[in-house]
Amino acid sequence: MNDGKPNWWSRPSTAPETPEAARIPSPPPTDGGDDGDGDFPLPAPQPQVEAAAASAEAETVVEAVVETGTAEIADAPRPAAPEQETVPAPAPAVLLTKGEPADAPVTPVTDAPVADAPQVAPEAVAQPAPQPLHAPDEYRTPPYGEPGPWAPAPPVQHPAASVPPQAPVPPQAQPQGHVPPVPPQQAAVPPVPPQQGGTAPWMQYDPWGGAVGGIGVAPAPVKKSRKGLALAGALVFALVTGVIGGGIGAYVERNGGLTTVELPQADGGDTDRAPESVAGIAAAALPGVVTLHVSGGGSSGTGTGFVLDTKGHILTNNHVVDAAESSGDITVTFSSGETARAKIVGKDTGYDLAVVQVTGVSGLKALPLGNSDNVRVGDPVVAIGAPFDLSNTVTSGIISAKERPITAGGEKGDGTDISYVDALQTDAPINPGNSGGPLLDSKGRVIGINSAIRAAGGSGDGDGGSAGQPGSIGLGFAIPINQGKRVAEELINTGKATHPVIGVSLDMQFNGDGARVGEKGKDGAASVTPGGPAAAAGLRPGDVITKVDGQRVHNGEELIVKIRAHRPGDKLRLTLTRDGKELTKTLTLGSSQGT
């Protein structure tokens, strides 16, 4: 037995009267003990022999030789049995040991006469005879009895390795009356050749063990683990669902969902706006604002103007219509899209103002005029124009400063085209094309005429500055409407505008603080006009004027701007320095014809 498992079966004897212990041979000894694969057979009990039989002097040696399916038994000398008692010979049995081939028939030992064998010394008998593990079954039950429903499969035997034959043991003298047990000799079993057709020999059947050495029953196919398949399926499913989910999420994110998007929107309500709001001011003023397209003299330009009255008079800048002075063409476009031809009524370079008139147009809406003297810094303003020919553009801002002296023009180089403006400064965006448009207060009244901007990187004043077509940087300038009103009236009535003068020639190269009266006038004439306002007030060449009506002036241009801000006939109080002394003079402004 090996770990409690049966390893082989023994066929029962045909003589039931034989003692059971005598039918169980002792297992053959091994050289090294257990070989790791075999079982440990249990020794069978030896039959009891009376003392009278101990004097026997001979023993029988049985040699079983299995060759080609036959067994031969050699005769050995056998001592005579005592007459007192006859010991029955062991019943024939089939000895199956681990390693015997299943298809080699074994001839059982019979009661044939056995030749006397040489006596064997007691010391030489060291190995007990092999015995079967199980007692014979007298009722011939399976596996070697009659077949039954409970019979197990026939045993499978392993091929036995070749066992070298043992040397015969020399006979030894035995005491009389003693018959020692006859140990069977191990037969030399030749190796079993492989069967034809590649079929392996039958092996010993082990219901709890597997095939030995790869011979015998073919191993059952190993079933593939379903856990790996389930894990792989789960990973594939997760990957597919992740890709599908990511695609759906990206589509929803980009398209806002799987359904049609309907955005909330406010219901149509009241579209009216407060008159003081930018929208209200723009709605009221746009019908009176026009866009001018001027061409002539090899040049063309775009500007803005506004209607002064129902007679079709329109006020704009002189530099807007200057190209059409001789034989140019002026086209006026109203906010409604209606167009009309226009002609120049009058213009003035020093104020940079001009009046044109359209005819044959009905339903004209004139813009109301405000008072620029009432404007305060910080008042909200709205500018309307056509920057870059974008008609009806509305911007808004505040009054940033007042009485800002600026000069514009000077492209001719002789100074005749320079305009001097005591301007209103605003941060309302003004761009090229806004020139001549109205600057409105919070009540929609005109308080200035947009005229110039300071461009980034430019050094000059005027619409567009001195560098191409720059845009607004929040520095826009407008001619005060009070000055524009007076000049427009003169241009409409006489076609010319008058300029207030003091009758002196200024030294424009003076670098000191103030405006210095020159030593000589133009073409060598006197710097102080005889009989003029300055001569009457006592001014002399070399005097430096520092204030006008208490306002500081730093150069000749600022003095001209301050004087042009008044009408001819107005009185001025001048502060000057002469030979280090400060003097105050009062004079009445004269008049000169503008160009």
Side-chain angles (χ1 to χ4, degrees), residues 155-349:
V156 177
Q157 300 178 357
H158 299 281
S162 298
V163 179
Q166 296 182 357
V169 180
Q172 298 292 335
Q174 297 293 335
Q176 291 293 329
H178 174 70
V179 179
V182 180
Q185 296 296 326
Q186 293 184 357
V189 181
V192 180
Q195 298 181 1
Q196 296 296 329
T199 306
W202 285 93
M203 308 296 290
Q204 179 177 351
Y205 173 69
D206 186 359
W208 288 275
V212 178
I215 304 175
V217 181
V222 180
K223 295 183 179 180
K224 295 183 179 180
S225 176
R226 295 188 177 183
K227 293 183 179 180
L229 296 177
L231 179 59
L235 292 177
V236 172
F237 177 76
L239 178 61
V240 172
T241 54
V243 171
I244 295 175
I248 294 175
Y251 177 83
V252 171
E253 181 181 359
R254 293 179 181 178
N255 299 277
L258 301 177
T259 60
T260 303
V261 177
E262 294 184 2
L263 301 177
Q265 186 178 19
D267 296 335
D270 187 10
T271 59
D272 294 337
R273 296 293 182 267
E276 295 81 11
S277 65
V278 175
I281 295 171
L286 279 172
V289 180
V290 299
T291 302
L292 287 81
H293 295 87
V294 181
S295 62
S299 63
S300 62
T302 302
T304 309
F306 59 93
V307 178
L308 294 175
D309 54 27
T310 58
K311 296 179 180 180
H313 292 106
I314 297 172
L315 183 61
T316 186
N317 285 133
N318 176 69
H319 68 266
V320 171
V321 298
D322 189 50
E325 178 180 6
S326 59
S327 60
D329 180 72
I330 301 175
T331 302
V332 176
T333 304
F334 294 87
S335 61
S336 62
E338 184 180 2
T339 62
R341 300 288 296 272
K343 65 177 182 178
I344 298 176
V345 175
K347 64 186 186 68
D348 186 86
T349 303

Side-chain angles (χ1 to χ4, degrees), residues 9-16 23 91-94 132 134-145:
W9 294 83
S10 298
R11 185 180 298 279
S13 173
T14 57
R23 297 194 302 264
V94 177
H134 302 281
D137 188 359
E138 293 128 353
Y139 300 99
R140 305 180 63 80
T141 56
Y144 296 101

Side-chain angles (χ1 to χ4, degrees), residues 108-126:
V109 179
T110 62
D111 293 338
V114 180
D116 293 339
Q119 293 182 355
V120 180
E123 293 81 9
V125 180

Side-chain angles (χ1 to χ4, degrees), residues 375-383 395-402 424-430 439-441 447 474-478:
V375 174
R376 296 294 179 266
V377 174
D379 285 349
V381 291
V382 174
T395 59
S396 64
I398 61 171
I399 294 296
S400 302
K402 291 179 60 177
L424 298 173
Q425 180 180 331
T426 180
D427 66 348
I430 298 175
L439 184 67
L440 308 172
D441 62 9
I447 58 173
L475 295 175
F477 304 95

Side-chain angles (χ1 to χ4, degrees), residues 60-77:
T60 303
V61 177
V62 180
E63 295 181 359
V65 179
V66 179
E67 292 181 359
T68 321
T70 62
E72 297 180 6
I73 304 174
D75 294 340

Side-chain angles (χ1 to χ4, degrees), residues 455-562:
S459 59
D461 298 294
D463 188 6
S466 61
Q469 294 262 315
S472 171
I473 60 173
L475 295 175
F477 304 95
I479 300 171
I481 192 59
N482 290 2
Q483 184 178 4
K485 176 179 177 295
R486 180 184 67 84
V487 173
E489 291 173 346
E490 292 180 351
L491 292 177
I492 293 172
N493 294 326
T494 65
K496 295 290 183 180
T498 58
H499 298 171
V501 295
I502 61 175
V504 296
S505 295
L506 298 177
D507 182 5
M508 304 302 291
Q509 304 300 322
F510 179 68
N511 295 324
D513 188 18
R516 181 174 180 271
V517 178
E519 297 294 337
K520 294 290 183 178
K522 186 178 180 179
D523 298 331
S527 60
V528 177
T529 304
L539 274 68
R540 298 177 184 176
D543 290 344
V544 178
I545 302 171
T546 58
K547 293 180 181 178
V548 175
D549 289 339
Q551 294 181 349
R552 189 78 181 184
V553 293
H554 301 283
N555 51 49
E557 291 179 352
E558 291 187 7
L559 179 60
I560 296 173
V561 169
K562 295 299 182 182

Side-chain angles (χ1 to χ4, degrees), residues 10 20-28 41-46 93-97 128-134 184:
S10 298
E20 179 178 343
R23 297 194 302 264
I24 303 176
S26 299
L42 298 177
Q46 300 294 329
V94 177
L95 178 60
L96 296 178
T97 60
Q131 300 295 330
L133 295 180
H134 302 281

